[in-house]
Amino acid sequence: MVKVKKPSTHASNQIKKLTKVKSGNKVSKKPRDEKLKKLQKFLLEEKFNINVQDVENAVSGAIKLHLNNPKIKNQLFDEDKFAINLKLNCHRIPRGYPKILRVPLKHSLLSPEDDVCLIVSEIKGVGNKEHEKHVDHYEKLLADKNVTNIKKIMTVHELNTEHETFEQKNRLADLYDAFLVCGKVSGKVVHKCGKIFYKKRKVPTSINLKATKLKEHIDKNLSKSFLHLHLKGDTYNLQFGHSKMSVAEIVDNFISSMEYLQREFPGGFENIKGLHVCTPRSTSIPVYVSAKNPKDLQDVRVKTTNKYVPKAVQDELTTLPNAQVLVKPSGQIIVVKVKDDEEDDDKEENIDIEEDDDEEGDNKITLKDILDDIKNSKHVQKDNEQDDSRKKLKSRKKAKKSLPSDWKEEILDSEEVSVEPLIKKKKQKSAEPENLDKKNLKVKVHSKSKNKVKRKKA
């Protein structure tokens, strides 16, 4: 097992001192390159137990193997530059969802001759088909911020209409060396580009066009490399240099990528099993190998900002009788058998009938016992109390209506009722005029109906 030493505090304190060099009254943040590089290499050996000289030898050896490959000599066109990749193996495959890691590098993989395409959202108040007006607006914005390394500006409507088919997307990926996207439309554009851009490692990176220091912001995003966590195996590939770069620049990119992977790679640097340097036409040269037991590591998961936690779902299955399906968040499907309640009830009833003859009477449960339990329950008692109170109210109303003219208070035995409001009601009724007789009303109605019949005949 390879032991990893902790970095010494003395070396880290020296780096902090070198980053601040006094020039008169002001403090400049430009470090002394030679001394800082030596300290960085020293810390790399202590932190990750990787020798810098081994990395330099692996890079130069991979370039020689690529150039001496006989397949390159048979090519019609010479390659301008080829990629230098870092092959990464892990002890345990991370769990979670696939993710893209943007690894920041000290030296950019793009040269000033490379072409960059910027995909932009449409401006409000201008039609989507008027591409020239949108492009003019963004060209002025970039010119004001002194951004000169962007060759093509493309709107989302132009991308959807002119690059729909598989062949058109493939040509677009070959035309430009890097792609940038406005942060507002990054989700739609990455989904539209498809897996062609993933294979060619040209997935668009999102930027903020409203940034104050736009030029520095764009340069910083263009100096990042692309690591796809597909989670389908234990090997991942990262480009950290190319053939036109010097060996010292490639080593600096290697150091910066190691510092990022220690923080962001699932499981940290302890989960890394091996590191190999290679090119598309050469064998992989090992730089670091770990003999750690993977059982010592805990459950390794991909870091996500999403707060939603998926749960397993269970539901009925129509194709199989007496079965249910359980689907887990990982995609695993399990069929669960369920017994029928009706069949079980029938079996239990038959068994009970057979056993009733043999059992003693004391152990049996009769209907009386069940009814007594229901009567004694709290819910039933409350209902009975409510019914009694309603009956009492009805009886009071009937007693008041059926009272004679010369009634007394003694008639209402237990309950005290005031007499004055009832006497007032009787006086009001006596003061009102008498109602008409029902016979007179009938006669009047009858006379009206006859008049209506006569009018209809006329």
Side-chain angles (χ1 to χ4, degrees), residues 2 145 268 282 365:
V2 180
K145 297 293 178 78
S282 72
I365 298 169

Side-chain angles (χ1 to χ4, degrees), residues 15-167:
I15 288 173
K16 289 179 182 178
K17 288 178 182 179
L18 285 169
T19 53
K20 293 182 180 180
V21 181
K22 290 185 178 180
S23 60
N25 296 324
K26 296 180 181 180
V27 178
S28 64
K29 294 183 180 180
K30 293 181 180 179
R32 295 174 185 172
D33 295 332
E34 295 178 359
K35 290 184 179 180
L36 186 62
K37 283 180 181 179
K38 287 180 182 179
L39 288 168
Q40 282 179 347
K41 290 176 183 179
F42 178 70
L43 287 171
L44 181 67
E45 292 175 1
E46 284 195 345
K47 274 186 181 180
F48 309 112
N49 200 8
I50 299 169
N51 193 358
V52 178
Q53 193 172 0
D54 293 340
V55 178
E56 291 176 356
N57 294 331
V59 170
S60 59
I63 292 166
K64 285 180 183 179
L65 287 170
H66 183 91
L67 295 173
N68 294 326
N69 196 332
K71 290 182 179 180
I72 294 170
K73 296 177 181 179
N74 297 327
Q75 287 181 351
L76 292 173
F77 302 102
D78 294 332
E79 289 181 350
D80 294 334
K81 62 180 181 181
F82 53 87
I84 297 168
N85 300 324
L86 181 69
K87 193 181 285 185
L88 188 147
N89 298 324
C90 60
H91 288 288
R92 297 189 69 174
I93 299 168
R95 292 184 179 182
Y97 295 98
K99 190 180 179 181
I100 299 168
L101 292 179
R102 306 276 182 185
V103 182
L105 302 175
K106 190 172 182 181
H107 304 283
S108 179
L109 300 175
L110 297 173
S111 61
E113 298 174 357
D114 293 332
D115 299 330
V116 181
C117 178
L118 176 63
I119 301 167
V120 173
S121 61
E122 288 82 5
I123 307 162
K124 290 182 179 179
V126 182
N128 293 338
K129 295 181 180 179
E130 298 177 357
H131 302 302
E132 294 179 357
K133 291 183 180 180
H134 297 292
V135 171
D136 292 337
H137 172 76
Y138 285 105
E139 280 180 354
K140 289 177 183 177
L141 190 145
L142 295 173
D144 294 337
K145 297 293 178 78
N146 297 323
V147 180
T148 56
N149 56 352
I150 290 169
K151 186 178 180 181
K152 171 71 176 175
I153 296 171
M154 185 187 297
T155 59
V156 178
H157 185 265
E158 187 179 352
L159 178 70
N160 293 331
T161 53
E162 296 184 6
H163 303 282
E164 273 189 313
T165 62
F166 180 84
E167 293 177 356

Side-chain angles (χ1 to χ4, degrees), residues 170-293:
N170 196 2
R171 287 174 192 168
L172 180 65
D174 292 331
L175 274 173
Y176 303 100
D177 298 303
F179 291 87
L180 297 172
V181 194
C182 180
K184 295 179 182 178
V185 199
S186 60
K188 295 179 182 178
V189 171
V190 172
H191 182 73
K192 179 70 179 175
C193 289
K195 63 181 180 181
I196 300 164
F197 286 77
Y198 281 88
K199 284 183 178 179
K200 295 186 177 181
R201 298 184 176 276
K202 292 181 181 180
V203 178
T205 58
S206 63
I207 58 168
N208 184 13
L209 292 172
K210 293 181 180 179
T212 53
K213 297 179 181 178
L214 187 61
K215 188 177 181 181
E216 294 177 0
H217 179 64
I218 289 169
D219 292 337
K220 187 179 179 181
N221 284 308
L222 289 173
S223 63
K224 290 181 180 180
S225 186
F226 173 82
L227 177 64
H228 184 208
L229 292 173
H230 49 76
L231 309 182
K232 294 179 181 178
D234 61 344
T235 57
Y236 304 98
N237 201 359
L238 171 69
Q239 185 183 355
F240 68 102
H242 56 81
S243 57
K244 286 189 175 182
M245 294 173 70
S246 64
V247 177
E249 289 176 349
I250 295 168
V251 171
D252 289 338
N253 287 346
F254 180 83
I255 293 164
S256 59
S257 60
M258 286 296 103
E259 290 175 354
Y260 179 81
L261 291 172
Q262 186 185 11
R263 296 191 309 271
E264 298 297 329
F265 188 76
F269 191 76
E270 294 178 355
N271 193 27
I272 293 172
K273 186 178 181 180
L275 296 170
H276 299 76
V277 178
C278 64
T279 62
R281 297 286 184 181
S282 72
T283 56
S284 58
I285 300 167
V287 173
Y288 170 80
V289 177
S290 174
K292 191 172 184 176
N293 190 0

Side-chain angles (χ1 to χ4, degrees), residues 422-436:
L422 294 171
I423 294 165
K424 288 179 181 179
K425 285 183 180 179
K426 285 185 177 182
K427 287 180 179 179
Q428 287 175 2
K429 287 181 181 179
S430 60
E432 289 177 358
E434 294 181 357
N435 294 326
L436 296 169

